[in-house]
Amino acid sequence: MKLRLGRVSYLNCLPLYYPFEKNGFAEVELFSGPPAELNQLFLKHRLDVTPLSSIEYARNYQELLILPDLSIAADGPVLSVMFFYRKEFSGRIQDIKKVGVTRESATSVVLLKIILKELFGAQPQYIPMDLDIEFFRKTDLDGVLLIGDKALTGYYHLPQNLEVLDLGEAFKKLTGLPMVYAVWAVHRETCQKEPLKIKKLSELFFQAKNYSYAHWQEMVEFGSRKYPFTPEEIDGYLKIISHELSEREFAGLLEFYRLASKIGEAPAGVSVKVWREDDWM
């Protein structure tokens, strides 16, 4: 039976999936969607492996492991997790009262709550809704959280009456660490039932990442045909996204969990367990 693999439908996953999209991927059945949709499919055991929102790993950590050396992270500005707010609140973010938040990513919503409270002392009302950069024409919201390609589009084409706060940059200012937005998660029972397939998948991701970095311009051109961005925009964006999980990313992930627990969005004492071949083979 093929492993059921999730693929976030945003540009930030391209370096890990480009070889599979180019050449096909016989070993797995691929499911593409926004983070929240993949989170739910995975937690209902309808996916075996997926890029999982970091906060969802924390909330389910006892049942899960993560694949080694894989993440969606940024050490500072990220461009695709952005808080857009009306210019009248420039210099006084603490006065913001009503915020629309994306339904597509639980991690980004928790990150926004942390940043607004810890850096600005703001605790606005958060309203889940589907919005875009035109929110200021359609609603009375003071600001909105956008992620993924919508956030990138807003960043590259920022309306004159809006300001923007990059949440990756804000997390770095708050903690001095990279922010990890997603990890590649696997159910413990899948590791027990299909250890050879998990081993193969981990190897394939390692190979895919190396292939994409060795064929960078080719990948960027492919991305410009698939996503609504120029090759220059894609190149600049993907160069600030990290797919590693080094000691610094680990430290950033654990600090995010500590801060999330502090505001009641994650359990205390989350431990991060990485899949290792020797444990399962």
Side-chain angles (χ1 to χ4, degrees):
M1 186 178 72
K2 291 184 178 181
L3 287 176
R4 299 163 298 178
L5 175 64
R7 194 269 198 225
V8 173
S9 54
Y10 299 154
L11 176 60
N12 57 20
C13 273
L14 183 60
L16 291 177
Y17 289 82
Y18 170 57
F20 308 145
E21 295 181 24
K22 177 186 175 186
N23 303 316
F25 197 2
E27 289 87 353
V28 304
E29 188 177 359
L30 200 61
F31 295 80
S32 186
E37 181 181 324
L38 296 183
N39 291 347
Q40 290 307 306
L41 288 173
F42 177 75
L43 295 173
K44 292 176 181 177
H45 292 259
R46 292 165 63 185
L47 293 176
D48 298 304
V49 179
T50 196
L52 185 72
S53 293
S54 295
I55 197 66
E56 293 295 353
Y57 176 85
R59 292 167 178 170
N60 299 275
Y61 75 95
Q62 293 177 328
E63 304 164 19
L64 307 175
L65 292 90
I66 63 174
L67 294 184
D69 306 320
L70 291 174
S71 76
I72 299 173
D75 193 1
V78 66
L79 306 189
S80 55
V81 183
M82 307 289 263
F83 179 54
F84 298 91
Y85 59 97
R86 296 178 187 270
K87 216 158 202 173
E88 64 199 74
F89 291 99
S90 181
R92 56 184 192 92
I93 290 178
Q94 68 275 9
D95 295 331
I96 285 175
K97 301 298 182 188
K98 194 173 179 183
V99 172
V101 293
T102 177
R103 301 178 192 271
E104 296 185 359
S105 169
T107 291
S108 300
V109 175
V110 174
L111 178 59
L112 178 63
K113 290 179 180 180
I114 290 169
I115 295 304
L116 290 187
K117 183 179 181 184
E118 296 290 332
L119 278 184
F120 301 100
Q123 293 182 270
Q125 177 187 9
Y126 294 97
I127 307 168
M129 57 177 63
D130 298 317
L131 284 172
D132 56 30
I133 195 64
E134 296 294 315
F135 77 93
F136 61 92
R137 303 184 196 278
K138 307 171 185 176
T139 75
D140 64 349
L141 295 170
D142 299 328
V144 297
L145 169 66
L146 299 179
I147 67 164
D149 299 344
K150 283 185 179 180
L152 271 175
T153 299
Y155 171 75
Y156 287 130
H157 308 283
L158 184 67
Q160 289 186 346
N161 57 343
L162 294 184
E163 298 279 2
V164 61
L165 176 68
D166 185 310
L167 296 190
E169 187 173 19
F171 186 79
K172 178 71 177 287
K173 179 179 179 181
L174 178 64
T175 68
L177 293 165
M179 174 63 199
V180 177
Y181 300 90
V183 293
W184 265 253
V186 56
H187 296 287
R188 286 178 178 269
E189 66 181 67
T190 305
C191 295
Q192 293 169 341
K193 292 177 181 177
E194 302 284 0
L196 290 174
K197 288 183 179 179
I198 297 301
K199 177 178 183 291
K200 178 66 173 176
L201 185 60
S202 182
E203 292 170 348
L204 285 170
F205 270 125
F206 178 77
Q207 293 165 10
K209 188 161 50 172
N210 286 343
Y211 180 91
S212 292
Y213 277 83
H215 299 81
W216 185 267
Q217 197 55 44
E218 173 190 303
M219 178 191 68
V220 166
E221 292 295 333
F222 174 88
S224 70
R225 296 191 295 272
K226 182 173 181 177
Y227 297 93
F229 305 109
T230 66
E232 292 76 20
E233 289 169 343
I234 291 173
D235 178 76
Y237 170 64
L238 290 180
K239 282 179 177 173
I240 68 170
I241 297 296
S242 168
H243 296 94
E244 307 301 318
L245 198 56
S246 70
E247 287 186 9
R248 276 184 54 74
E249 280 88 19
F250 248 107
L253 184 62
L254 292 176
E255 180 63 7
F256 172 64
Y257 289 158
R258 186 189 71 79
L259 292 168
S261 176
K262 184 178 175 182
I263 62 169
E265 293 286 353
V270 173
S271 63
V272 180
K273 176 68 174 176
V274 178
W275 178 88
R276 300 294 181 194
E277 180 181 345
D278 291 346
D279 296 335
W280 301 94
M281 300 300 291

